């Protein structure tokens, strides 16, 4: 009997490319700063960072320069990089900008499309589940995604791009608030539900009012004025 045809040889699997070393260092530091594993006031050294990521010092320097431009760290020659704390002025600026953008977006989101309602319901449920397991960094990401979805549906690309620029500061402040005020986690979920209810009901002014109260609390809580 003729031999059965052999199966065609599988093409070799291409190796998975790792991000460049400087990009890996940048991601490592930035994520640690945003979720407060590297808190404000922490001094980072090139040697420690190189060891943590498994790279040489050259890509570490490149990543640190990039992060200094973004305002997350301050470089000190021959000493290292200081993680900058969130200042009172930064809190004020972020909250004021968020209010300007998000109140406008809440009004413009009404009447809401079924797509927006469905997406907000999904994000709210995901945030609720993450809150139950206590993953603060992930909760902060979902929190911001919820608001960003409303901004996106306002239909103003310039405002959407402006809002995107607040992302890092929002995440860092969000984690700080939840660490200092654990009860705020459940409150955020509740207030997001109120915002969703107002949008679903077609109440533009009611939605803007929820945003004003919800976002305005951030400044008070981050500054520690409310216990």
């Amino acid at each position: 009997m003729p031999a059965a045809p052999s199966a065609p040889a599988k093409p070799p699997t291409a190796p998975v490319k790792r991000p460049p070393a400087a990009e890996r260092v940048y991601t490592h530091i930035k994520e640690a700063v945003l979720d407060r594993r590297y808190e404000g006031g922490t001094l980072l050294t090139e040697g420690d960072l190189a060891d943590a990521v498994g790279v040489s010092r050259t890509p570490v320097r490149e990543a640190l320069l990039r992060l200094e431009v973004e305002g997350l760290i301050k470089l000190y020659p021959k000493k290292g990089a200081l993680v900058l704390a969130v200042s009172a002025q930064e809190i004020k600026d972020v909250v004021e900008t968020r209010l300007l953008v998000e109140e406008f977006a809440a009004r413009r989101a009404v009447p809401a499309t079924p797509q927006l309602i469905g997406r907000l319901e999904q994000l709210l449920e995901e945030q609720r589940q993450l809150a139950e397991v206590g993953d603060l960094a992930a909760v902060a990401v979902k929190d911001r995604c919820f608001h960003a979805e409303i901004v996106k549906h306002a239909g103003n690309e310039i405002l959407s791009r402006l809002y995107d620029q607040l992302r890092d500061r929002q995440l860092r402040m969000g984690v700080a608030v939840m660490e200092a005020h654990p009860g705020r986690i459940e409150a955020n979920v509740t207030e997001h539900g109120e915002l969703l209810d107002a949008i679903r009901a077609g109440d533009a002014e009611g939605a803007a009012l929820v945003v004003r109260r919800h976002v305005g609390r951030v400044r008070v809580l981050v500054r520690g004025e409310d216990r």
Side-chain angles (χ1 to χ4, degrees):
M1 294 180 64
S6 59
K10 293 183 179 180
T13 303
V16 178
K17 289 186 177 181
R18 298 181 71 191
E23 188 67 28
R24 298 203 306 274
V25 178
Y26 169 83
T27 300
H28 168 80
I29 301 171
K30 186 166 186 174
E31 289 181 350
V33 170
L34 295 184
D35 65 22
R36 290 170 59 84
R37 282 179 286 129
Y38 293 156
E39 295 189 16
T42 302
L43 185 65
L44 308 174
T45 66
E46 291 182 2
D48 287 344
L49 292 171
D51 291 343
V53 186
V55 298
S56 68
R57 294 194 181 197
T58 299
V60 171
R61 295 188 192 104
E62 183 179 334
L64 290 175
L65 286 169
R66 184 175 168 189
L67 289 161
E68 185 176 44
V69 171
E70 294 182 9
L72 293 178
I73 64 169
K74 174 67 176 176
L75 291 175
Y76 290 93
K78 300 182 180 180
K79 292 184 179 180
L82 183 70
V83 178
L84 296 177
V86 179
S87 68
Q89 185 62 48
E90 182 179 0
I91 296 167
K92 178 176 181 292
D93 292 347
V94 169
V95 170
E96 287 179 351
T97 306
R98 285 191 63 186
L99 287 172
L100 286 170
V101 175
E102 292 188 39
E103 284 191 49
F104 170 84
R107 292 186 178 95
R108 285 289 294 269
V110 175
T113 64
Q115 291 79 8
L116 174 59
I117 296 299
R119 180 61 177 151
L120 293 179
E121 289 173 342
Q122 176 188 354
L123 288 169
L124 182 59
E125 179 56 31
E126 290 173 355
Q127 185 182 4
R128 185 177 289 113
Q129 292 173 2
L130 290 167
E132 289 176 356
V133 299
D135 189 338
L136 300 189
V139 170
V141 170
K142 290 298 178 184
D143 185 306
R144 189 195 179 277
C145 286
F146 185 91
H147 291 279
E149 195 69 26
I150 297 171
V151 173
K152 183 174 73 175
H153 278 76
N156 188 312
E157 289 298 324
I158 294 176
L159 280 183
S160 291
R161 287 196 293 271
L162 172 63
Y163 193 74
D164 285 343
Q165 294 175 20
L166 300 176
R167 176 185 178 276
D168 293 346
R169 291 177 171 85
Q170 282 181 255
L171 294 179
R172 195 176 179 198
M173 291 179 191
V175 174
V177 166
M178 288 184 286
E179 284 182 347
H181 306 275
R184 193 61 203 162
I185 302 172
E186 183 178 351
N188 278 348
V189 173
T190 298
E191 290 168 12
H192 284 178
E194 293 171 356
L195 178 53
L196 174 57
D197 288 343
I199 292 174
R200 188 190 286 117
D203 184 358
E205 289 306 315
L209 180 62
V210 173
V211 166
R212 191 178 312 130
R213 184 176 66 246
H214 175 66
V215 176
R217 295 288 293 166
V218 174
R219 183 191 305 181
V220 174
L221 292 168
V222 174
R223 291 171 62 179
E225 296 171 3
D226 185 296
R227 296 294 173 185

